[in-house]
Amino acid sequence: MQRKTPSCVVISQGYEESDALRKLSTLAILFAATAFLAGARLPPQGPMPEPRPDAGQATNPTSPSSEKVEPPAPEEVPAPQPKPDVPDVKDPEAPASSQPPPPQAAPSKPGSAEPMQGPPRPPGSPESSQPPTEEGKPPGEQTLEEQHLTIEPESDAEHAECTAALQSLGVVFKDTARIDDGNGCGIDKPIIVSEALPGIRLKPEATIRCPAALALARWMKDSVIPAASAALPEQGRITTVNQATSYMCRLRNGAGTGKISEHARGNAIDIASFHFEKGEDVAVRSRREDPTLTGAFQRTVSAAGCLYFTTVLDPESDAAHETHFHLDIIERKGGYRYCH
């Protein structure tokens, strides 16, 4: 029994040594594994650039492919180009399929420049396209003949009422035959005025419509004569009104194209100067900076003219009216008046 005990101790010590070795080996294996794993983590970070060149290679083919996409675009452009060369009708169609914005601008220009309706729709009728060119022009580019205007009719009742008002003011006038100079120029019921008011000659006589003569008489009576009495009493009373233009068949400002002048309808009169009993005539000219009573007189009657006329243009308005007042009675929407 005493011999068996030491053997058991030796065996237990052997087990303990083997356990220790196992533990050491496992620790060594774990340490090596951790070291291996630590080292293994580094390489995946290192090879990461390897896929990047692969991506670069992938992008390289894509970049040339995108570059290849651009050449086919010009290849498609020359394809429609030969098509418009054959017929003119296909011109808008070919560029419209390739590039919509440029072709839209191109046909619009000929459409506006050629309102004949010929090239866009009926290209084979040049003779019938000539009249529409005139009608298609904007009013500012049309001649008097191209506007196809007519004379405005006047009612007998309104004309009789107006002439009665002239007679009550003492205006000297006479009726005359209807004027028709063509192209809308003329007056249905014209009158010839020789005195704007009693004792105030209108020189030369003015051929106008009755409403224009009535506005002139009221302006003279209520504004011009009182202003002259206040500003220029030493010159006495006004004896003559010198007019530059009454009825005349023309466009505005004598232009070759544009709207018809109110002179051509008998609605306008141009006043050039006022003649007094004493002293010099008061000529209508630029007097905006004139500090004298003569300047005050002209500015006063110019401003007052808008009470009787719907249009008053004085020398300050533009170069075409540097030497006279333009007064007319054109009717505008809403009773609008233009006075300058």
Side-chain angles (χ1 to χ4, degrees):
M1 298 297 291
Q2 294 177 355
R3 290 178 186 177
K4 290 178 182 180
T5 54
S7 62
C8 294
V9 172
V10 172
I11 292 169
S12 62
Q13 289 178 354
Y15 282 117
E16 292 177 356
E17 290 176 358
S18 62
D19 291 337
L21 290 174
R22 288 176 184 174
K23 292 178 180 180
L24 291 174
S25 61
T26 54
L27 291 174
I29 291 168
L30 292 174
F31 180 77
T34 54
F36 176 77
L37 292 174
R41 291 178 185 174
L42 295 174
Q45 294 178 352
M48 287 302 293
E50 293 178 358
R52 291 180 183 174
D54 297 337
Q57 293 174 356
T59 55
N60 290 335
T62 55
S63 61
S65 65
S66 61
E67 294 175 355
K68 292 176 182 178
V69 175
E70 297 177 356
E75 290 174 359
E76 296 176 0
V77 175
Q81 285 178 356
K83 295 179 181 178
D85 295 337
V86 182
D88 295 338
V89 182
K90 293 182 181 179
D91 290 341
E93 296 177 356
S97 60
S98 59
Q99 294 177 352
Q104 289 176 356
S108 63
K109 292 179 181 177
S112 60
E114 299 177 355
M116 318 183 242
Q117 301 173 356
R121 292 170 185 168
S125 58
E127 296 179 356
S128 62
S129 64
Q130 292 178 356
T133 54
E134 298 178 355
E135 296 177 359
K137 291 180 182 178
E141 297 179 2
Q142 291 181 354
T143 64
L144 186 59
E145 293 76 9
E146 294 171 345
Q147 297 183 39
H148 308 294
L149 302 173
T150 58
I151 299 173
E152 297 179 359
E154 300 182 63
S155 70
D156 294 337
E158 291 179 355
H159 182 70
E161 182 180 356
C162 179
T163 54
L166 288 181
Q167 291 171 354
S168 65
L169 290 171
V171 178
V172 178
F173 68 96
K174 62 181 178 180
D175 291 316
T176 187
R178 185 176 188 268
I179 301 173
D180 187 353
D181 290 333
N183 301 315
C185 289
I187 307 174
D188 188 25
K189 291 179 170 53
I191 62 172
I192 299 175
V193 180
S194 55
E195 290 189 11
L197 284 175
I200 302 179
R201 288 192 305 159
L202 192 57
K203 185 179 179 181
E205 294 179 339
T207 301
I208 51 179
R209 290 182 61 233
C210 181
L214 185 58
L216 177 64
R218 289 173 174 171
W219 175 59
M220 290 292 300
K221 179 178 182 294
D222 297 335
S223 297
V224 178
I225 292 174
S229 300
L232 307 168
E234 69 282 357
Q235 294 195 202
R237 68 180 185 90
I238 298 176
T239 60
T240 305
V241 176
N242 298 302
Q243 62 97 3
T245 309
S246 54
Y247 170 77
M248 178 179 289
C249 182
R250 63 175 175 81
L251 297 178
R252 293 182 182 180
N253 298 331
T257 58
K259 294 183 178 180
I260 190 171
S261 171
E262 290 306 302
H263 287 284
R265 298 184 179 276
N267 289 329
I269 187 168
D270 294 342
I271 304 300
S273 65
F274 302 93
H275 180 74
F276 291 78
E277 286 181 319
K278 308 171 186 177
E280 298 179 354
D281 291 357
V282 175
V284 178
R285 59 181 178 83
S286 179
R287 296 185 186 274
R288 178 178 294 175
E289 305 299 332
D290 187 346
T292 66
L293 285 172
T294 301
F297 164 74
Q298 178 177 304
R299 292 191 296 270
T300 300
V301 299
S302 175
C306 207
L307 299 174
Y308 312 94
F309 298 91
T310 56
T311 304
V312 177
L313 301 176
D314 64 14
E316 312 301 337
S317 61
D318 55 25
H321 302 88
E322 289 180 342
T323 59
H324 63 273
F325 293 138
H326 169 87
L327 311 170
D328 72 48
I329 55 169
I330 185 175
E331 294 183 5
R332 300 186 180 92
K333 293 181 180 179
Y336 173 76
R337 300 188 174 211
Y338 182 83
C339 304
H340 191 287

